[in-house]
Amino acid sequence: MRFHMTRHAVSTAALLAALSLTAAPLGAQTYRPGDDGGRLSSPASARTGFGAAVVVSGDEIFVGRPDEFPVFPAPAARIGGVHVFRSGADGWVERALVTAPDVEVGDGFGLAIAVDGDVMLVGAPQRNEGRGAVYVFERAGEDWTLAST
């Protein structure tokens, strides 16, 4: 597998990182059409680690949320995930939230992400008593399915 990042992709990622630090230093918000009439969803707390891993691939951004703040560990309230955003006529819209069925709070699921087309690898470094695990997902349409661990 080869992973490419264009200068435009790096600029987009840098811009998103800067905006998240300056516009909302204590959290992040996502726009989901249909949720509460299209309003912003609940802010993700900074300690959830939203943005711990970011991959830009074409017109999509994959954002890891391992539910742990790596500098100052705090008890997590829910399992980690990967938010998939796509750019379109309406701007950046969240298209999917990818999780795995056996992930537990504190596994760090979403701390590492790699994407190549319709295949996504998601790391959970604290899974298996700290030995870690890598989850392989495959996409069909808008749906991401766990292919292997």
Side-chain angles (χ1 to χ4, degrees), residues 16-68:
L16 287 172
L19 287 174
S20 69
L21 292 174
T22 59
L26 297 178
Q29 296 178 328
T30 57
Y31 174 79
R32 294 185 184 170
D35 288 359
D36 298 325
R39 288 182 263 166
L40 291 173
S41 66
S42 301
S45 168
R47 69 171 189 255
T48 66
F50 185 89
V54 177
V55 172
V56 178
S57 178
D59 64 347
E60 294 180 307
I61 297 178
F62 299 78
V63 181
R65 178 188 41 81
D67 289 322
E68 296 177 36

mmCIF file of all heavy atoms in Angstrom, residues 16-68:
data_model
loop_
_atom_site.group_PDB
_atom_site.id
_atom_site.type_symbol
_atom_site.label_atom_id
_atom_site.label_comp_id
_atom_site.label_asym_id
_atom_site.label_seq_id
_atom_site.Cartn_x
_atom_site.Cartn_y
_atom_site.Cartn_z
ATOM 1 N N LEU A 16 -6.850 23.055 9.181
ATOM 2 C CA LEU A 16 -7.803 22.480 10.128
ATOM 3 C C LEU A 16 -7.218 22.428 11.535
ATOM 4 O O LEU A 16 -7.905 22.723 12.515
ATOM 5 C CB LEU A 16 -8.221 21.085 9.684
ATOM 6 C CG LEU A 16 -9.148 21.045 8.479
ATOM 7 C CD1 LEU A 16 -9.344 19.614 8.012
ATOM 8 C CD2 LEU A 16 -10.471 21.680 8.806
ATOM 9 N N ALA A 17 -5.954 22.080 11.647
ATOM 10 C CA ALA A 17 -5.319 22.039 12.967
ATOM 11 C C ALA A 17 -5.282 23.429 13.583
ATOM 12 O O ALA A 17 -5.594 23.603 14.763
ATOM 13 C CB ALA A 17 -3.918 21.457 12.850
ATOM 14 N N ALA A 18 -4.920 24.428 12.790
ATOM 15 C CA ALA A 18 -4.867 25.796 13.299
ATOM 16 C C ALA A 18 -6.246 26.289 13.713
ATOM 17 O O ALA A 18 -6.398 26.919 14.755
ATOM 18 C CB ALA A 18 -4.276 26.719 12.236
ATOM 19 N N LEU A 19 -7.252 25.996 12.908
ATOM 20 C CA LEU A 19 -8.610 26.412 13.254
ATOM 21 C C LEU A 19 -9.094 25.748 14.526
ATOM 22 O O LEU A 19 -9.752 26.371 15.346
ATOM 23 C CB LEU A 19 -9.566 26.107 12.108
ATOM 24 C CG LEU A 19 -9.441 27.010 10.885
ATOM 25 C CD1 LEU A 19 -10.354 26.508 9.776
ATOM 26 C CD2 LEU A 19 -9.753 28.448 11.232
ATOM 27 N N SER A 20 -8.768 24.475 14.696
ATOM 28 C CA SER A 20 -9.238 23.789 15.897
ATOM 29 C C SER A 20 -8.580 24.353 17.143
ATOM 30 O O SER A 20 -9.171 24.365 18.213
ATOM 31 C CB SER A 20 -9.005 22.282 15.792
ATOM 32 O OG SER A 20 -7.621 22.002 15.842
ATOM 33 N N LEU A 21 -7.354 24.845 17.023
ATOM 34 C CA LEU A 21 -6.665 25.409 18.173
ATOM 35 C C LEU A 21 -7.120 26.826 18.480
ATOM 36 O O LEU A 21 -7.167 27.226 19.628
ATOM 37 C CB LEU A 21 -5.155 25.399 17.947
ATOM 38 C CG LEU A 21 -4.513 24.019 17.918
ATOM 39 C CD1 LEU A 21 -3.034 24.147 17.543
ATOM 40 C CD2 LEU A 21 -4.667 23.323 19.250
ATOM 41 N N THR A 22 -7.460 27.594 17.440
ATOM 42 C CA THR A 22 -7.820 28.987 17.675
ATOM 43 C C THR A 22 -9.312 29.212 17.828
ATOM 44 O O THR A 22 -9.739 30.019 18.625
ATOM 45 C CB THR A 22 -7.302 29.879 16.528
ATOM 46 O OG1 THR A 22 -7.866 29.427 15.309
ATOM 47 C CG2 THR A 22 -5.789 29.857 16.463
ATOM 48 N N ALA A 23 -10.116 28.484 17.071
ATOM 49 C CA ALA A 23 -11.558 28.729 17.084
ATOM 50 C C ALA A 23 -12.262 28.012 18.226
ATOM 51 O O ALA A 23 -13.242 28.504 18.753
ATOM 52 C CB ALA A 23 -12.171 28.297 15.761
ATOM 53 N N ALA A 24 -11.793 26.847 18.601
ATOM 54 C CA ALA A 24 -12.465 26.076 19.648
ATOM 55 C C ALA A 24 -11.433 25.309 20.457
ATOM 56 O O ALA A 24 -11.311 24.107 20.343
ATOM 57 C CB ALA A 24 -13.476 25.112 19.026
ATOM 58 N N PRO A 25 -10.642 25.989 21.297
ATOM 59 C CA PRO A 25 -9.555 25.316 21.988
ATOM 60 C C PRO A 25 -10.008 24.252 22.976
ATOM 61 O O PRO A 25 -9.236 23.396 23.336
ATOM 62 C CB PRO A 25 -8.832 26.457 22.702
ATOM 63 C CG PRO A 25 -9.857 27.523 22.842
ATOM 64 C CD PRO A 25 -10.749 27.388 21.641
ATOM 65 N N LEU A 26 -11.241 24.269 23.404
ATOM 66 C CA LEU A 26 -11.692 23.289 24.386
ATOM 67 C C LEU A 26 -12.585 22.223 23.795
ATOM 68 O O LEU A 26 -13.170 21.431 24.530
ATOM 69 C CB LEU A 26 -12.433 23.994 25.531
ATOM 70 C CG LEU A 26 -11.571 24.961 26.329
ATOM 71 C CD1 LEU A 26 -12.419 25.643 27.393
ATOM 72 C CD2 LEU A 26 -10.388 24.256 26.951
ATOM 73 N N GLY A 27 -12.706 22.157 22.501
ATOM 74 C CA GLY A 27 -13.544 21.119 21.933
ATOM 75 C C GLY A 27 -13.646 21.229 20.437
ATOM 76 O O GLY A 27 -13.042 22.083 19.822
ATOM 77 N N ALA A 28 -14.406 20.329 19.868
ATOM 78 C CA ALA A 28 -14.627 20.335 18.425
ATOM 79 C C ALA A 28 -16.105 20.098 18.180
ATOM 80 O O ALA A 28 -16.784 19.486 18.996
ATOM 81 C CB ALA A 28 -13.805 19.228 17.776
ATOM 82 N N GLN A 29 -16.583 20.598 17.067
ATOM 83 C CA GLN A 29 -17.972 20.406 16.714
ATOM 84 C C GLN A 29 -18.052 19.828 15.321
ATOM 85 O O GLN A 29 -17.188 20.095 14.489
ATOM 86 C CB GLN A 29 -18.734 21.724 16.762
ATOM 87 C CG GLN A 29 -18.801 22.316 18.142
ATOM 88 C CD GLN A 29 -19.523 23.641 18.143
ATOM 89 O OE1 GLN A 29 -19.474 24.386 17.182
ATOM 90 N NE2 GLN A 29 -20.206 23.926 19.224
ATOM 91 N N THR A 30 -19.076 19.041 15.081
ATOM 92 C CA THR A 30 -19.270 18.499 13.746
ATOM 93 C C THR A 30 -20.676 18.840 13.279
ATOM 94 O O THR A 30 -21.603 18.931 14.073
ATOM 95 C CB THR A 30 -19.092 16.970 13.710
ATOM 96 O OG1 THR A 30 -19.999 16.382 14.636
ATOM 97 C CG2 THR A 30 -17.684 16.583 14.062
ATOM 98 N N TYR A 31 -20.804 19.033 11.982
ATOM 99 C CA TYR A 31 -22.104 19.322 11.382
ATOM 100 C C TYR A 31 -22.644 18.037 10.786
ATOM 101 O O TYR A 31 -21.962 17.373 10.004
ATOM 102 C CB TYR A 31 -21.949 20.375 10.283
ATOM 103 C CG TYR A 31 -23.227 20.619 9.525
ATOM 104 C CD1 TYR A 31 -24.221 21.410 10.066
ATOM 105 C CD2 TYR A 31 -23.435 20.039 8.292
ATOM 106 C CE1 TYR A 31 -25.399 21.634 9.380
ATOM 107 C CE2 TYR A 31 -24.609 20.258 7.598
ATOM 108 C CZ TYR A 31 -25.587 21.061 8.148
ATOM 109 O OH TYR A 31 -26.748 21.262 7.463
ATOM 110 N N ARG A 32 -23.816 17.648 11.186
ATOM 111 C CA ARG A 32 -24.445 16.442 10.667
ATOM 112 C C ARG A 32 -25.821 16.785 10.139
ATOM 113 O O ARG A 32 -26.708 17.130 10.903
ATOM 114 C CB ARG A 32 -24.591 15.393 11.773
ATOM 115 C CG ARG A 32 -23.292 14.867 12.273
ATOM 116 C CD ARG A 32 -23.553 13.769 13.258
ATOM 117 N NE ARG A 32 -22.301 13.314 13.812
ATOM 118 C CZ ARG A 32 -22.216 12.501 14.825
ATOM 119 N NH1 ARG A 32 -23.297 12.051 15.402
ATOM 120 N NH2 ARG A 32 -21.061 12.121 15.269
ATOM 121 N N PRO A 33 -26.014 16.692 8.819
ATOM 122 C CA PRO A 33 -27.347 16.966 8.274
ATOM 123 C C PRO A 33 -28.370 16.016 8.880
ATOM 124 O O PRO A 33 -28.103 14.830 9.025
ATOM 125 C CB PRO A 33 -27.183 16.709 6.778
ATOM 126 C CG PRO A 33 -25.724 16.696 6.527
ATOM 127 C CD PRO A 33 -25.066 16.313 7.809
ATOM 128 N N GLY A 34 -29.484 16.550 9.279
ATOM 129 C CA GLY A 34 -30.552 15.710 9.808
ATOM 130 C C GLY A 34 -30.588 15.639 11.321
ATOM 131 O O GLY A 34 -31.618 15.414 11.905
ATOM 132 N N ASP A 35 -29.430 15.804 11.982
ATOM 133 C CA ASP A 35 -29.402 15.800 13.439
ATOM 134 C C ASP A 35 -29.913 17.144 13.937
ATOM 135 O O ASP A 35 -29.332 18.178 13.636
ATOM 136 C CB ASP A 35 -27.991 15.591 13.972
ATOM 137 C CG ASP A 35 -27.482 14.183 13.779
ATOM 138 O OD1 ASP A 35 -28.244 13.356 13.247
ATOM 139 O OD2 ASP A 35 -26.341 13.919 14.166
ATOM 140 N N ASP A 36 -30.977 17.151 14.700
ATOM 141 C CA ASP A 36 -31.521 18.374 15.277
ATOM 142 C C ASP A 36 -31.687 19.481 14.243
ATOM 143 O O ASP A 36 -31.301 20.621 14.458
ATOM 144 C CB ASP A 36 -30.627 18.881 16.416
ATOM 145 C CG ASP A 36 -30.541 17.881 17.543
ATOM 146 O OD1 ASP A 36 -31.548 17.203 17.803
ATOM 147 O OD2 ASP A 36 -29.470 17.778 18.155
ATOM 148 N N GLY A 37 -32.231 19.139 13.084
ATOM 149 C CA GLY A 37 -32.471 20.136 12.064
ATOM 150 C C GLY A 37 -31.214 20.655 11.396
ATOM 151 O O GLY A 37 -31.193 21.723 10.829
ATOM 152 N N GLY A 38 -30.130 19.899 11.480
ATOM 153 C CA GLY A 38 -28.904 20.306 10.818
ATOM 154 C C GLY A 38 -28.012 21.201 11.649
ATOM 155 O O GLY A 38 -27.091 21.804 11.144
ATOM 156 N N ARG A 39 -28.262 21.284 12.952
ATOM 157 C CA ARG A 39 -27.404 22.101 13.805
ATOM 158 C C ARG A 39 -26.116 21.358 14.128
ATOM 159 O O ARG A 39 -25.972 20.184 13.857
ATOM 160 C CB ARG A 39 -28.131 22.440 15.105
ATOM 161 C CG ARG A 39 -29.238 23.448 14.866
ATOM 162 C CD ARG A 39 -29.892 23.784 16.157
ATOM 163 N NE ARG A 39 -31.077 22.929 16.234
ATOM 164 C CZ ARG A 39 -31.781 22.731 17.309
ATOM 165 N NH1 ARG A 39 -31.437 23.285 18.436
ATOM 166 N NH2 ARG A 39 -32.843 21.972 17.288
ATOM 167 N N LEU A 40 -25.207 22.057 14.759
ATOM 168 C CA LEU A 40 -23.963 21.419 15.176
ATOM 169 C C LEU A 40 -24.249 20.391 16.262
ATOM 170 O O LEU A 40 -25.070 20.604 17.140
ATOM 171 C CB LEU A 40 -22.980 22.468 15.705
ATOM 172 C CG LEU A 40 -22.413 23.420 14.663
ATOM 173 C CD1 LEU A 40 -21.605 24.512 15.354
ATOM 174 C CD2 LEU A 40 -21.556 22.684 13.663
ATOM 175 N N SER A 41 -23.533 19.278 16.189
ATOM 176 C CA SER A 41 -23.705 18.260 17.218
ATOM 177 C C SER A 41 -22.991 18.708 18.483
ATOM 178 O O SER A 41 -22.293 19.705 18.509
ATOM 179 C CB SER A 41 -23.143 16.925 16.729
ATOM 180 O OG SER A 41 -21.751 17.023 16.570
ATOM 181 N N SER A 42 -23.151 17.934 19.536
ATOM 182 C CA SER A 42 -22.525 18.274 20.810
ATOM 183 C C SER A 42 -21.016 18.376 20.668
ATOM 184 O O SER A 42 -20.408 17.558 20.005
ATOM 185 C CB SER A 42 -22.851 17.204 21.847
ATOM 186 O OG SER A 42 -24.226 17.108 22.010
ATOM 187 N N PRO A 43 -20.413 19.361 21.299
ATOM 188 C CA PRO A 43 -18.962 19.487 21.217
ATOM 189 C C PRO A 43 -18.282 18.281 21.839
ATOM 190 O O PRO A 43 -18.731 17.754 22.842
ATOM 191 C CB PRO A 43 -18.653 20.745 22.029
ATOM 192 C CG PRO A 43 -19.935 21.444 22.221
ATOM 193 C CD PRO A 43 -21.029 20.426 22.081
ATOM 194 N N ALA A 44 -17.195 17.862 21.217
ATOM 195 C CA ALA A 44 -16.395 16.778 21.782
ATOM 196 C C ALA A 44 -15.415 17.410 22.749
ATOM 197 O O ALA A 44 -14.743 18.360 22.425
ATOM 198 C CB ALA A 44 -15.658 16.049 20.671
ATOM 199 N N SER A 45 -15.351 16.891 23.931
ATOM 200 C CA SER A 45 -14.442 17.438 24.927
ATOM 201 C C SER A 45 -13.003 17.293 24.468
ATOM 202 O O SER A 45 -12.629 16.349 23.802
ATOM 203 C CB SER A 45 -14.644 16.683 26.240
ATOM 204 O OG SER A 45 -13.615 16.989 27.143
ATOM 205 N N ALA A 46 -12.158 18.226 24.853
ATOM 206 C CA ALA A 46 -10.747 18.174 24.465
ATOM 207 C C ALA A 46 -10.080 16.916 24.995
ATOM 208 O O ALA A 46 -9.162 16.395 24.394
ATOM 209 C CB ALA A 46 -10.030 19.412 24.993
ATOM 210 N N ARG A 47 -10.525 16.398 26.116
ATOM 211 C CA ARG A 47 -9.858 15.219 26.647
ATOM 212 C C ARG A 47 -10.196 13.945 25.872
ATOM 213 O O ARG A 47 -9.636 12.903 26.136
ATOM 214 C CB ARG A 47 -10.170 15.060 28.127
ATOM 215 C CG ARG A 47 -11.572 14.693 28.430
ATOM 216 C CD ARG A 47 -11.740 14.351 29.913
ATOM 217 N NE ARG A 47 -13.055 13.811 30.040
ATOM 218 C CZ ARG A 47 -14.078 14.434 30.551
ATOM 219 N NH1 ARG A 47 -13.929 15.616 31.068
ATOM 220 N NH2 ARG A 47 -15.252 13.869 30.595
ATOM 221 N N THR A 48 -11.130 14.022 24.912
ATOM 222 C CA THR A 48 -11.424 12.844 24.103
ATOM 223 C C THR A 48 -10.356 12.604 23.060
ATOM 224 O O THR A 48 -10.335 11.561 22.437
ATOM 225 C CB THR A 48 -12.786 12.950 23.390
ATOM 226 O OG1 THR A 48 -12.723 14.003 22.437
ATOM 227 C CG2 THR A 48 -13.916 13.146 24.369
ATOM 228 N N GLY A 49 -9.456 13.559 22.837
ATOM 229 C CA GLY A 49 -8.381 13.384 21.879
ATOM 230 C C GLY A 49 -8.810 13.581 20.445
ATOM 231 O O GLY A 49 -8.132 13.119 19.534
ATOM 232 N N PHE A 50 -9.935 14.263 20.211
ATOM 233 C CA PHE A 50 -10.405 14.500 18.848
ATOM 234 C C PHE A 50 -9.280 15.151 18.053
ATOM 235 O O PHE A 50 -8.759 16.184 18.427
ATOM 236 C CB PHE A 50 -11.646 15.394 18.857
ATOM 237 C CG PHE A 50 -12.258 15.599 17.501
ATOM 238 C CD1 PHE A 50 -13.208 14.718 17.033
ATOM 239 C CD2 PHE A 50 -11.881 16.659 16.699
ATOM 240 C CE1 PHE A 50 -13.792 14.886 15.781
ATOM 241 C CE2 PHE A 50 -12.452 16.842 15.449
ATOM 242 C CZ PHE A 50 -13.407 15.963 14.989
ATOM 243 N N GLY A 51 -8.887 14.514 16.952
ATOM 244 C CA GLY A 51 -7.801 15.030 16.134
ATOM 245 C C GLY A 51 -6.453 14.457 16.488
ATOM 246 O O GLY A 51 -5.425 14.931 16.008
ATOM 247 N N ALA A 52 -6.419 13.427 17.323
ATOM 248 C CA ALA A 52 -5.155 12.798 17.694
ATOM 249 C C ALA A 52 -4.439 12.245 16.472
ATOM 250 O O ALA A 52 -3.216 12.201 16.430
ATOM 251 C CB ALA A 52 -5.390 11.687 18.716
ATOM 252 N N ALA A 53 -5.183 11.815 15.472
ATOM 253 C CA ALA A 53 -4.633 11.376 14.186
ATOM 254 C C ALA A 53 -5.515 11.963 13.100
ATOM 255 O O ALA A 53 -6.737 11.942 13.212
ATOM 256 C CB ALA A 53 -4.636 9.856 14.107
ATOM 257 N N VAL A 54 -4.882 12.508 12.061
ATOM 258 C CA VAL A 54 -5.621 13.094 10.947
ATOM 259 C C VAL A 54 -4.990 12.621 9.643
ATOM 260 O O VAL A 54 -3.773 12.695 9.485
ATOM 261 C CB VAL A 54 -5.604 14.639 11.001
ATOM 262 C CG1 VAL A 54 -6.311 15.227 9.788
ATOM 263 C CG2 VAL A 54 -6.233 15.143 12.283
ATOM 264 N N VAL A 55 -5.828 12.128 8.729
ATOM 265 C CA VAL A 55 -5.372 11.735 7.400
ATOM 266 C C VAL A 55 -6.232 12.466 6.381
ATOM 267 O O VAL A 55 -7.459 12.458 6.492
ATOM 268 C CB VAL A 55 -5.498 10.205 7.186
ATOM 269 C CG1 VAL A 55 -5.206 9.839 5.741
ATOM 270 C CG2 VAL A 55 -4.576 9.447 8.124
ATOM 271 N N VAL A 56 -5.578 13.092 5.413
ATOM 272 C CA VAL A 56 -6.281 13.737 4.313
ATOM 273 C C VAL A 56 -6.065 12.871 3.082
ATOM 274 O O VAL A 56 -4.934 12.562 2.721
ATOM 275 C CB VAL A 56 -5.752 15.162 4.068
ATOM 276 C CG1 VAL A 56 -6.473 15.801 2.891
ATOM 277 C CG2 VAL A 56 -5.898 16.008 5.315
ATOM 278 N N SER A 57 -7.163 12.457 2.462
ATOM 279 C CA SER A 57 -7.090 11.598 1.278
ATOM 280 C C SER A 57 -8.113 12.089 0.269
ATOM 281 O O SER A 57 -9.318 11.907 0.458
ATOM 282 C CB SER A 57 -7.369 10.142 1.670
ATOM 283 O OG SER A 57 -7.345 9.304 0.541
ATOM 284 N N GLY A 58 -7.632 12.730 -0.791
ATOM 285 C CA GLY A 58 -8.543 13.272 -1.797
ATOM 286 C C GLY A 58 -9.459 14.308 -1.200
ATOM 287 O O GLY A 58 -9.002 15.274 -0.588
ATOM 288 N N ASP A 59 -10.780 14.097 -1.329
ATOM 289 C CA ASP A 59 -11.756 15.047 -0.797
ATOM 290 C C ASP A 59 -12.283 14.610 0.566
ATOM 291 O O ASP A 59 -13.349 15.025 0.988
ATOM 292 C CB ASP A 59 -12.914 15.246 -1.780
ATOM 293 C CG ASP A 59 -13.723 13.984 -2.010
ATOM 294 O OD1 ASP A 59 -13.268 12.890 -1.611
ATOM 295 O OD2 ASP A 59 -14.818 14.080 -2.592
ATOM 296 N N GLU A 60 -11.507 13.775 1.267
ATOM 297 C CA GLU A 60 -11.932 13.287 2.580
ATOM 298 C C GLU A 60 -10.869 13.565 3.643
ATOM 299 O O GLU A 60 -9.676 13.593 3.349
ATOM 300 C CB GLU A 60 -12.185 11.780 2.541
ATOM 301 C CG GLU A 60 -13.359 11.400 1.668
ATOM 302 C CD GLU A 60 -13.577 9.900 1.642
ATOM 303 O OE1 GLU A 60 -12.607 9.160 1.348
ATOM 304 O OE2 GLU A 60 -14.706 9.483 1.919
ATOM 305 N N ILE A 61 -11.350 13.755 4.863
ATOM 306 C CA ILE A 61 -10.480 13.884 6.026
ATOM 307 C C ILE A 61 -10.945 12.857 7.049
ATOM 308 O O ILE A 61 -12.139 12.766 7.358
ATOM 309 C CB ILE A 61 -10.528 15.300 6.629
ATOM 310 C CG1 ILE A 61 -10.003 16.320 5.624
ATOM 311 C CG2 ILE A 61 -9.706 15.359 7.909
ATOM 312 C CD1 ILE A 61 -10.050 17.744 6.113
ATOM 313 N N PHE A 62 -10.007 12.093 7.566
ATOM 314 C CA PHE A 62 -10.273 11.072 8.579
ATOM 315 C C PHE A 62 -9.664 11.581 9.886
ATOM 316 O O PHE A 62 -8.469 11.865 9.940
ATOM 317 C CB PHE A 62 -9.623 9.745 8.185
ATOM 318 C CG PHE A 62 -10.138 9.201 6.881
ATOM 319 C CD1 PHE A 62 -9.699 9.708 5.665
ATOM 320 C CD2 PHE A 62 -11.068 8.176 6.873
ATOM 321 C CE1 PHE A 62 -10.178 9.209 4.459
ATOM 322 C CE2 PHE A 62 -11.549 7.668 5.680
ATOM 323 C CZ PHE A 62 -11.102 8.183 4.469
ATOM 324 N N VAL A 63 -10.492 11.704 10.920
ATOM 325 C CA VAL A 63 -10.052 12.269 12.193
ATOM 326 C C VAL A 63 -10.233 11.231 13.295
ATOM 327 O O VAL A 63 -11.344 10.774 13.562
ATOM 328 C CB VAL A 63 -10.842 13.551 12.541
ATOM 329 C CG1 VAL A 63 -10.353 14.136 13.858
ATOM 330 C CG2 VAL A 63 -10.739 14.574 11.420
ATOM 331 N N GLY A 64 -9.127 10.875 13.942
ATOM 332 C CA GLY A 64 -9.180 9.920 15.044
ATOM 333 C C GLY A 64 -9.610 10.579 16.333
ATOM 334 O O GLY A 64 -9.266 11.725 16.612
ATOM 335 N N ARG A 65 -10.393 9.844 17.112
ATOM 336 C CA ARG A 65 -10.850 10.293 18.430
ATOM 337 C C ARG A 65 -10.683 9.118 19.385
ATOM 338 O O ARG A 65 -11.597 8.343 19.623
ATOM 339 C CB ARG A 65 -12.317 10.739 18.371
ATOM 340 C CG ARG A 65 -12.861 11.166 19.726
ATOM 341 C CD ARG A 65 -14.361 11.419 19.690
ATOM 342 N NE ARG A 65 -15.158 10.502 18.928
ATOM 343 C CZ ARG A 65 -15.568 9.292 19.356
ATOM 344 N NH1 ARG A 65 -15.219 8.849 20.538
ATOM 345 N NH2 ARG A 65 -16.325 8.535 18.588
ATOM 346 N N PRO A 66 -9.472 8.943 19.954
ATOM 347 C CA PRO A 66 -9.242 7.778 20.810
ATOM 348 C C PRO A 66 -9.843 7.882 22.209
ATOM 349 O O PRO A 66 -9.718 6.948 22.989
ATOM 350 C CB PRO A 66 -7.718 7.700 20.879
ATOM 351 C CG PRO A 66 -7.267 9.094 20.651
ATOM 352 C CD PRO A 66 -8.270 9.702 19.705
ATOM 353 N N ASP A 67 -10.478 8.979 22.526
ATOM 354 C CA ASP A 67 -11.083 9.189 23.845
ATOM 355 C C ASP A 67 -10.072 9.195 24.974
ATOM 356 O O ASP A 67 -10.374 8.826 26.088
ATOM 357 C CB ASP A 67 -12.186 8.159 24.129
ATOM 358 C CG ASP A 67 -13.394 8.432 23.269
ATOM 359 O OD1 ASP A 67 -13.708 9.598 23.060
ATOM 360 O OD2 ASP A 67 -14.007 7.471 22.791
ATOM 361 N N GLU A 68 -8.880 9.607 24.648
ATOM 362 C CA GLU A 68 -7.857 9.824 25.664
ATOM 363 C C GLU A 68 -7.056 11.030 25.226
ATOM 364 O O GLU A 68 -6.715 11.164 24.071
ATOM 365 C CB GLU A 68 -6.904 8.632 25.753
ATOM 366 C CG GLU A 68 -7.567 7.367 26.197
ATOM 367 C CD GLU A 68 -6.574 6.213 26.179
ATOM 368 O OE1 GLU A 68 -5.396 6.431 26.493
ATOM 369 O OE2 GLU A 68 -6.986 5.123 25.845
#
